Amino acid sequence: MPVITLTIDDELISGREGETLLQVIKEHGISLPTLCHMEGLSERGGCRLCIVEVAGSPRPLPACTTPAREGMVVRTRSERLENYRRMLVELMLAERNHYCAVCVSIGHCELQRVAAEMGVDHVRYEYLSPKLTMDLSHERFGLDHNRCILCTRCVRVCDEIEGVHTWDISGRGVKSRIIADLNRSWRESGTCTSCGKCVQVCPTGALFLKGAVVGEMVKDPTMLARVLEGREKKEWEG
Ligand code: SF4
Ligand code: SF4
Ligand code: FES
């Protein structure tokens, strides 16, 4: 792939044509907060935490869905960006019921880590406190809508890696929900293979292994990379 040159945070940096800004930024050791992004899955650009300022663009752009181009001038940190990112995290926390103290993922939750890194110690918005249910119908896994941030990692891993497309999103805005097979209970899903990939990629305590108690739900961040590497090496053939 041809090499391109960009300016990121006042430094001349090289990347390859076809890469996203996020890829180039990460390759150069600059950290950006991300939640919907996951290596090995398609990009959705939904959480907006990876926004950057690009010269010539009137609004910040998500680095994960913006192609890196020759001559781009990009800024990853500014007061405006920090304010936006903080607001986005606060809105995520206010939209559902994130009671970390009683969550299976406390201490291992990506939303909690991102909030801590940004110094979010309070939320300036009114909590919506929706009355949401849990789906505990699956033999081994549970879904708690209260913890879901609609990142769609579960939808994408099930569709793109497991190849069955059990999950989807129904509704719009604050009424959006993750649903299995056109709104059946997880147990009634005719497509789920019980592989557990969706549970492992979920950044919060929304998808979890049944039996896990507070703080016990540790996800395996290497799972997806191992699956993809195995496929590349055709480890399951022959
Ligand atoms: S367990 Fe596997 S097949 Fe079932 S919903 Fe999750 S990713 Fe899809
Ligand atoms: S259940 Fe988890 S992986 Fe799926 S959209 Fe919600 S937070 Fe994301
Ligand atoms: S990580 Fe880029 S928009 Fe979510």
Side-chain angles (χ1 to χ4, degrees):
M1 270 190 282
V3 172
I4 53 174
T5 307
L6 307 76
T7 305
I8 299 184
D9 294 340
D10 300 322
E11 288 214 19
L12 268 187
I13 277 176
S14 59
R16 286 182 301 276
E17 211 173 274
E19 287 188 307
T20 63
L21 273 180
L22 183 64
Q23 285 173 309
V24 176
I25 286 167
K26 282 174 78 178
E27 277 160 18
H28 286 84
I30 301 166
S31 79
L32 271 187
T34 57
L35 276 174
C36 65
H37 164 80
M38 183 158 223
E39 215 64 58
L41 299 181
S42 64
E43 299 293 0
R44 172 171 173 258
C47 74
R48 290 315 215 234
L49 289 184
C50 67
I51 46 172
V52 291
E53 287 169 350
V54 177
S57 168
R59 15 179 206 96
L61 301 173
C64 64
T65 52
T66 304
R69 297 217 170 84
E70 174 68 35
M72 264 181 163
V73 179
V74 179
R75 186 155 295 284
T76 67
R77 303 250 174 261
S78 71
E79 202 179 328
R80 176 168 81 139
L81 289 172
E82 302 306 326
N83 286 340
Y84 271 140
R85 290 182 186 135
R86 192 188 162 103
M87 179 189 76
L88 290 163
V89 169
E90 288 184 39
L91 288 170
M92 272 183 230
L93 291 169
E95 194 171 305
R96 301 222 171 168
N97 303 303
H98 293 278
Y99 303 127
C100 300
V102 292
C103 180
V104 289
S105 284
I106 184 172
H108 314 290
C109 169
E110 292 182 46
L111 174 61
Q112 190 185 30
R113 179 176 47 74
V114 163
E117 282 170 4
M118 286 181 196
V120 176
D121 52 9
H122 67 283
V123 169
R124 291 163 292 175
Y125 308 101
E126 195 178 334
Y127 285 94
L128 296 185
S129 306
K131 299 207 173 357
L132 299 180
T133 54
M134 295 172 79
D135 181 346
L136 298 175
S137 63
H138 191 284
E139 199 187 349
R140 290 165 45 212
F141 314 130
L143 162 62
D144 185 352
H145 291 283
N146 294 287
R147 319 281 198 224
C148 177
I149 56 169
L150 299 166
C151 69
T152 75
R153 284 188 191 177
C154 57
V155 178
R156 286 173 284 152
V157 81
C158 187
D159 180 38
E160 297 167 13
I161 308 297
E162 185 58 9
V164 294
H165 200 120
T166 298
W167 298 115
D168 254 312
I169 295 213
S170 79
R172 310 189 77 164
V174 292
K175 297 227 164 105
S176 302
R177 300 282 181 274
I178 289 295
I179 53 163
D181 282 351
L182 300 175
N183 215 5
R184 292 182 182 182
S185 71
W186 202 345
R187 183 214 268 294
E188 288 169 335
S189 158
T191 56
C192 176
T193 62
S194 299
C195 68
K197 291 185 178 70
C198 53
V199 176
Q200 294 304 328
V201 301
C202 177
T204 68
L207 289 171
F208 56 90
L209 295 177
K210 279 170 128 174
V213 297
V214 173
E216 271 190 3
M217 189 60 247
V218 183
K219 311 283 168 91
D220 178 2
T222 65
M223 180 275 301
L224 196 51
R226 281 188 282 111
V227 171
L228 293 170
E229 194 186 327
R231 278 189 189 173
E232 205 169 308
K233 291 184 182 160
K234 301 196 179 357
E235 279 174 7
W236 292 281
E237 281 185 13

